[in-house]
Amino acid sequence: MKKWLVYIALMVASTHAITAQTAKEFWFAAPDVTAGHGDQPIILRVTTYDFPATVTLSLPADPNFTPLVAQVAANSIYTFQLTAHIHKIECNKVNQIDSNGIYVSASENIAAYYEVGPHNNTDIFALKGESALGKEFLVSAQSSWSNYNYIPTPLAATNIVATENNTQITITPSKAIQGHSAGTAFSITLDRGET
């Protein structure tokens, strides 16, 4: 009996993991990948399932950005080419509010991921839909090894995007970060699409 309960628990957990990346809405703050590592091309790939979908990629806080719209057939993959927009979407400012939060919306459930870099050494970020939303996060980062000798030197960063106006965020770094001491909380307020 115990064996069956463990099996059922694993099946339920794996089903949740599969659906965690399927949604109609995704928010994303694109990292500033070090140019020396290869920060281009950048793309966003979307995958449809049983139904075709209209997929829109926008920057809600940037009124000068024209949304990108694609009609994607059922059971298909579509690639948004974003390299031309790299300076509008990468989060490359420290301790400053910017308008580069990416919002992806679809008429049907899709999966999406953001990909950076040349073909042999890409970085892929799976977008999480509702699973990425929340009010409390613990951000981890390694501090034992060098980030290699690229130019410019790679640094760790955490990017935050607001999904609604007047989002008040309090950050308490456990270690000193650029512009802020360890253990001292600070607050920022972001509007929808700001990072």
Side-chain angles (χ1 to χ4, degrees), residues 73-114:
N75 300 308
S76 298
I77 296 172
Y78 181 83
T79 301
F80 287 98
Q81 300 291 339
L82 300 177
T83 307
H85 307 287
I86 191 169
H87 299 293
K88 282 191 165 279
I89 64 173
E90 274 194 344
C91 294
N92 56 13
K93 296 177 182 166
V94 177
N95 294 324
Q96 294 180 36
I97 294 173
D98 208 346
S99 59
N100 49 0
I102 298 171
Y103 176 58
V104 178
S105 61
S107 59
E108 297 292 336
N109 281 334
I110 61 168
Y113 70 85
Y114 181 84

Side-chain angles (χ1 to χ4, degrees), residues 14-70:
S14 66
T15 302
H16 175 70
I18 292 169
T19 61
Q21 296 177 23
T22 303
K24 291 183 180 179
E25 294 183 302
F26 300 89
W27 285 93
F28 185 65
D32 180 17
V33 175
T34 300
H37 179 65
D39 66 345
Q40 295 183 29
I42 56 172
I43 60 175
L44 184 104
R45 291 194 204 275
V46 297
T47 303
T48 56
Y49 296 102
D50 294 336
F51 302 101
T54 301
V55 182
T56 304
L57 186 150
S58 63
L59 304 179
D62 183 352
N64 297 317
F65 183 83
T66 302
L68 307 175
V69 181

Side-chain angles (χ1 to χ4, degrees), residues 138-141 171-177 180-186:
L138 176 64
V139 179
S140 61
I171 301 164
T172 308
S174 59
K175 303 272 185 186
I177 60 175
H180 301 280
S181 302
T184 303
F186 64 97

Side-chain angles (χ1 to χ4, degrees), residues 120-134:
N120 295 329
N121 197 18
T122 57
D123 287 319
I124 295 177
F125 303 86
L127 279 62
K128 303 295 185 191
E130 256 184 53
S131 296
L133 305 179

